[in-house]
Amino acid sequence: MFAEAIEEILKDQCTPAVVRAIEAGGSPAVLWNAISDAGFLELLASENDGGAALSLAELFPVLIALGGYAIPVPLAQSVAARALLADRMTIPEGMLTFAPGLRRLNDGRLVCPVVPFGTIADHVLAQDEGRLLLLPGASATRTATGVHGSMVATMSWQIDADSIHTDLAAGTLSAFGAALHAALLAGAMRRVFDMTLQYANDRSQFGKSIGKFQAIQHQISVMAEHVAASLIAAEAAFPAGVPTPPPLASAIAKARTSEAAVLVASISHAVHGAIGVTEEYDLQLLTRRLHEWRIAHGSEAHWNQIVGRSLLQSGQDRIVDFVRSASV
């Protein structure tokens, strides 16, 4: 129900033209206000606090929908951040995002490298061992990556940040960020697959659609396998009955979706031929997100190491038993 509702808003308010305008430096206010006024920021909040009290499993389809529209605002991060901050501190207005990491320099500055949506976020939530830090975007020095259309920025502060001691285990914020991006990646890849399949059926060459050529069928089949595997891996990171995604399931989900993102992007461009990367064609909005979200909170190289260490320490005799225990 919530996934269908957010899709109706995204169809009207998150069109490719809007995505291009925000990426080019336009204001995200209209899109953000449409989403927040509809109550989607409180999906994980309790009913007593005016929220929908969704479980993580019920939130997952909403995240898949966001990925399919190349969402240019940190809605997924804001929903999760508001749930983490509830009962811990006053939740600020505006767009919140997660910092993948935090460094303290010798001159006292705080630095959060490559923050997703760092160019537009109003606040950044960072974890410093047993503390959560809420860092104001207004006083941050933002250094964009310079990549075309990217909203990733390295952010630094000269001031002390508001912080709270928390019972969140170290790494919880990182795992949550990884799980959110795994779901966004899975949603974007599903949309890319649908566009590629439709193009292969519509585009004709030598009197028949190119989708009837065996070479194209083979590439689309490989693509379908990776998209399906990514959806399953991402969904496993969002079980019901827990407040935050399990660390190991999040690691597996981010590793699997990040690995698939490169392959899905390259096959979709290959099947689309020359138009796959052109500015006017909407496919590039999604495939650029695939590459950006693949790196967010660590690529498959980072998370594969964590999964590997967990396997060696698990004492499990069979890989299948280890995988089955990942979401527990």
Side-chain angles (χ1 to χ4, degrees), residues 159-185:
I159 63 171
D160 290 332
D162 291 334
S163 67
I164 53 174
H165 290 278
T166 175
D167 54 356
L168 284 178
T172 299
L173 197 68
S174 177
F176 212 151
L180 292 175
H181 281 89
L184 294 172
L185 279 167

Side-chain angles (χ1 to χ4, degrees), residues 81-271:
R82 296 175 75 85
L84 289 174
L85 292 176
D87 300 327
R88 289 189 169 98
M89 69 165 57
T90 302
I91 301 174
E93 297 294 329
M95 295 180 284
L96 292 89
T97 191
F98 286 0
L102 175 71
R103 295 204 307 263
R104 293 180 183 276
L105 303 186
N106 292 334
D107 60 6
R109 282 188 300 147
L110 298 175
V111 178
C112 293
V114 290
V115 179
F117 300 105
T119 60
I120 62 172
D122 297 304
H123 299 275
V124 177
L125 191 60
Q127 186 169 14
D128 184 14
E129 297 296 336
R131 294 191 305 158
L132 280 178
L133 280 69
L134 186 63
L135 302 157
S139 58
T141 299
R142 308 179 197 237
T143 305
T145 62
V147 175
H148 172 69
S150 173
M151 285 176 284
V152 174
T154 293
M155 306 175 72
S156 63
W157 291 264
Q158 292 285 2
I159 63 171
D160 290 332
D162 291 334
S163 67
I164 53 174
H165 290 278
T166 175
D167 54 356
L168 284 178
T172 299
L173 197 68
S174 177
F176 212 151
L180 292 175
H181 281 89
L184 294 172
L185 279 167
M189 282 189 277
R190 189 176 70 174
R191 179 74 181 279
V192 167
F193 175 75
D194 290 342
M195 292 179 68
T196 304
L197 187 62
Q198 186 66 52
Y199 181 82
N201 287 329
D202 293 344
R203 179 78 166 91
S204 294
Q205 191 76 326
F206 307 115
K208 60 182 179 181
S209 65
I210 64 172
K212 294 188 181 299
F213 291 96
Q214 188 172 17
I216 300 294
Q217 290 176 343
H218 171 73
Q219 292 191 74
I220 291 178
S221 297
V222 172
M223 189 179 183
E225 292 171 354
H226 282 268
V227 172
S230 295
L231 284 164
I232 294 170
E235 187 172 13
F238 291 85
V242 294
T244 58
L248 180 55
S250 300
I252 293 173
K254 189 61 168 61
R256 188 64 187 89
T257 53
S258 290
E259 179 184 358
V262 178
L263 184 142
V264 169
S266 62
I267 290 181
S268 65
H269 285 174
V271 173

Side-chain angles (χ1 to χ4, degrees), residues 288-304:
R288 282 194 292 104
R289 285 287 189 280
L290 294 185
H291 289 294
E292 186 163 293
W293 289 341
R294 173 199 169 215
I295 301 299
H297 291 269
S299 70
E300 67 273 20
H302 169 73
W303 291 105
N304 277 336

